[in-house]
Amino acid sequence: MKRLLLFCVGFFIFNLIFVTLSNAKIDIKTAAGIWLLNEKDGAEIVDLSKNGNNGKAQGTKHVAGKFGTALSFNGSSDRVVVPDADSLDLQGAWTITAWIYPNKTEVNYGHILGKRNDAVANDANYAFRINNTGVGWETYFRKDNAWMGIWGIGSVKKEEWSYMTAVYDGKNMATIYENGVQIGTGAVGAAPPAGQAEVHIGGWQNNASELLDGKLDEVALFGAALTIDDIQNLMKNGLEKSLGILPVDRLGKMATEWGSIKSAH
């Protein structure tokens, strides 16, 4: 009887993991970075993609988010810095997506995420931000000393959560979505070469003029152009369910519980 119980409990736990992992509709292999921002404390920001692109928070506070916890940025010194890596050098299509809560005091280039300010090539690989007056959205890159992007798109909603997504098709077109609805698109040209800059969430290293005043949750970067169905799925279900991933603490808890069950019998 004990062996049967042991088998049944183990079967349930590992099937739960399998079912969760098999719910994914978006190819998780295209994820360059998945930062749920659910750490609750500490400076390390864990990447749940296969790439291990963990970041380090400079300042920031852990606060209640759209899903679990989020990070709050003060608009003057807070950011997350992710070291450069080959998996972050996207030279074709890409998607940047996140839940964002701009404070009413956000009025100047509040960035969600970007890879720019390359000290060698002076290029920018990709970026997504609020514009310089805090009222519109912009996604862009820099190539051959020229900034290419779509500018001042839509109207930024302050003091509320919005699900914002920027998509570049890898050929010419950039598109911005707000809460799963397209709000702007335009031609931006061919992709720039990969650079050596770090990836920044919430703003730039050693830069106090383009930092987010607000909160971010469920930030992700994909090396693919997500479809509108993909975006709406992420918005509705969150990254964990949509991509079929389990955060490290839940996987560890399951392993611990399974070990306790075995040792008890």
Side-chain angles (χ1 to χ4, degrees):
M1 184 65 181
K2 289 182 178 179
R3 289 183 177 178
L4 179 60
L5 177 62
L6 180 64
F7 173 79
C8 291
V9 172
F11 183 78
F12 170 77
I13 290 175
F14 285 103
N15 267 279
L16 177 61
I17 295 175
F18 175 78
V19 169
T20 304
L21 295 177
S22 64
N23 275 338
K25 295 181 179 180
I26 301 169
D27 186 359
I28 195 171
K29 293 180 182 178
T30 66
I34 300 170
W35 302 277
L36 298 182
L37 308 182
N38 281 344
E39 287 74 17
K40 298 181 181 178
D41 55 41
E44 184 176 22
I45 304 301
V46 177
D47 168 26
L48 288 180
S49 78
K50 63 181 178 61
N51 300 304
N53 289 317
N54 294 351
K56 184 175 181 181
Q58 299 178 355
T60 75
K61 295 180 179 179
H62 299 273
V63 297
K66 186 68 178 182
F67 292 88
T69 59
L71 280 185
S72 176
F73 299 79
N74 65 8
S76 60
S77 59
D78 293 352
R79 62 182 69 77
V80 174
V81 180
V82 181
D84 183 31
D86 289 346
S87 57
L88 298 171
D89 293 338
L90 307 181
Q91 299 182 68
W94 47 259
T95 300
I96 300 169
T97 187
W99 283 97
I100 181 171
Y101 183 105
N103 293 331
K104 63 183 178 181
T105 47
E106 168 55 66
V107 293
N108 187 29
Y109 288 134
H111 274 80
I112 294 176
L113 178 146
K115 190 176 194 293
R116 53 168 280 187
N117 291 6
D118 189 317
V120 178
N122 196 30
D123 287 331
N125 205 176
Y126 44 80
F128 190 19
R129 71 184 181 191
I130 295 171
N131 73 353
N132 64 324
T133 56
V135 299
W137 299 98
E138 301 179 338
T139 190
Y140 64 95
F141 53 77
R142 181 180 172 89
K143 179 183 178 182
D144 299 329
N145 294 317
W147 295 103
M148 308 299 294
I150 54 176
W151 317 100
I153 304 298
S155 179
V156 176
K157 297 178 173 63
K158 304 289 183 70
E159 301 291 324
E160 64 180 88
W161 286 104
S162 295
Y163 190 63
M164 299 304 305
T165 307
V167 178
Y168 173 60
D169 68 2
K171 299 176 182 178
N172 183 40
M173 301 300 294
T175 306
I176 294 177
Y177 299 84
E178 179 184 62
N179 296 325
V181 177
Q182 180 178 315
I183 59 172
T185 190
V188 295
Q196 300 178 24
E198 301 156 320
V199 166
H200 295 85
I201 299 170
W204 306 119
Q205 181 92 304
N206 301 319
N207 185 326
S209 66
E210 300 193 28
L211 301 173
L212 176 67
D213 185 353
K215 294 178 280 191
L216 289 174
D217 198 1
E218 299 229 327
V219 179
L221 172 67
F222 297 88
L226 296 190
T227 67
I228 191 168
D229 289 340
D230 294 333
I231 294 165
Q232 291 174 350
N233 182 23
L234 290 173
M235 179 183 69
K236 179 181 178 180
N237 297 309
L239 286 167
E240 290 180 50
K241 183 176 180 181
S242 298
L243 298 177
I245 57 176
L246 287 173
V248 174
D249 59 343
R250 284 171 60 190
L251 285 170
K253 183 178 180 181
M254 284 186 173
T256 301
E257 290 173 348
W258 175 237
S260 300
I261 291 169
K262 290 197 294 184
S263 63
H265 295 277

